[in-house]
Amino acid sequence: MKLMLALDVMSKNEALKIAEETKDFVDIIKIGYPLVLSTGIEIVKEIKNKTNKEVVCDFKVADIPATNEKIAKTTLKYADAIICQGFVGKDSVMAIQKVAEEYGNKGAPKKVIMVTEMSHLSAVEFLQPVADDLAKMAKELSVDGVVAPSTRPERLKEIKEIVGDIPIISPGVGAQGGDLDKVLEILGDNDYVIVGRGIYEHNNPKESAKHYKKLISKN
Ligand code: XMP
């Protein structure tokens, strides 16, 4: 099982410092609007240069196909993977997959990761009732990964059963209170545990990343 660092800090210096400090224990780095809107998309290149890790842009893209295509082109020029929402429907996700295919190559494929059920409390209001269908769509489209919640292990398990061998990327342990032990019972070698604040808000991000990596690797 792999550790994905959610680097949701707002300054370039802090981002690069934490990325470099934690790189020996982190498998892949996820950034999103907080960092990219504060510093610009070029930060992806700088993180990659500093760490030699893949960078995922968590933009939860949710627009019409024509706009999704433009967002994906700008993002995948820099990033290795992009996260999109599935609730907008198949054509919007496929527009991103088309860009990923065009921009990637065998040695450096570009990946499309789709959200099923989110990890926060209110995800149960609108998203949870359709999350199984979203997971089925993710399987049908053969996306490269799906996001499913560590905050609800029973749902994580159900979604994993639907998507089969598609890697799961799971946020919710650490600051959101997800139970890592339960999550470790469900996820497998190709899946990712996402930790953000539990690492970058820790007084020693390197030690925290080391701690999470050790816990995850024990399984
Ligand atoms: P924390 O600080 O809670 O960070 O460890 C979690 C990271 O994951 C993102 N996040 C999600 N992304 N679906 C997603 O695609 C989700 O359900 C979800 N929940 C949290 C969050 O933005 C942060 O980067």
Side-chain angles (χ1 to χ4, degrees):
M1 205 173 308
K2 295 173 240 181
L3 179 60
M4 182 179 286
L5 168 65
L7 195 51
D8 295 322
V9 295
M10 312 275 277
S11 101
K12 177 174 152 176
N13 287 346
E14 197 183 355
L16 294 177
K17 184 170 178 279
I18 295 172
E20 189 161 32
E21 275 173 14
T22 57
K23 70 178 180 200
D24 291 343
F25 309 106
V26 160
D27 297 290
I28 187 165
I29 297 173
K30 179 175 90 67
I31 63 172
Y33 294 120
L35 185 59
V36 173
L37 292 179
S38 306
T39 65
I41 188 77
E42 297 264 339
I43 188 76
V44 173
K45 233 195 288 182
E46 297 191 58
I47 293 172
K48 284 172 71 72
N49 287 342
K50 266 257 176 329
T51 62
N52 213 16
K53 303 281 171 194
E54 288 186 3
V55 172
V56 179
C57 276
D58 184 356
F59 291 159
K60 296 191 179 66
V61 188
D63 217 310
I64 59 169
T67 308
N68 271 9
E69 181 188 338
K70 291 178 183 131
I71 298 168
K73 280 185 170 167
T74 315
T75 307
L76 292 177
K77 197 170 135 197
Y78 297 91
D80 301 283
I82 184 167
I83 297 183
C84 67
Q85 290 285 9
F87 64 74
V88 275
K90 224 182 267 185
D91 55 358
S92 289
V93 177
M94 285 166 69
I96 301 175
Q97 287 183 300
K98 196 159 168 260
V99 175
E101 216 168 283
E102 195 186 319
Y103 280 37
N105 57 57
K106 253 201 173 146
K110 302 285 182 178
K111 295 175 189 158
V112 181
I113 299 165
M114 204 195 91
V115 178
T116 58
E117 183 171 320
M118 293 181 72
S119 57
H120 65 304
L121 220 56
S122 295
V124 300
E125 290 174 16
F126 302 110
L127 215 41
Q128 190 178 75
V130 295
D132 286 359
D133 287 335
L134 291 174
K136 284 175 200 156
M137 185 178 92
K139 177 94 181 148
E140 189 189 327
L141 294 180
S142 294
V143 297
D144 304 293
V146 299
V147 187
S150 282
T151 45
R152 281 175 232 105
E154 70 293 349
R155 292 292 299 140
L156 183 62
K157 192 161 179 245
E158 283 161 4
I159 290 167
K160 187 162 178 63
E161 276 163 16
I162 295 171
V163 300
D165 55 5
I166 295 179
I168 300 232
I169 285 137
S170 191
V173 301
Q176 294 184 68
D179 182 337
L180 184 59
D181 286 337
K182 284 193 183 149
V183 170
L184 295 180
E185 280 170 23
I186 299 163
L187 296 184
D189 289 352
N190 293 327
D191 300 320
Y192 295 80
V193 170
I194 304 177
V195 183
R197 287 163 290 178
I199 293 176
Y200 68 75
E201 285 186 354
H202 194 275
N203 55 20
N204 188 334
K206 182 179 177 176
E207 277 309 309
S208 179
K210 188 177 175 183
H211 168 75
Y212 276 108
K213 181 66 182 172
K214 203 166 147 197
L215 291 178
I216 285 168
S217 309
K218 255 201 293 189
N219 248 52

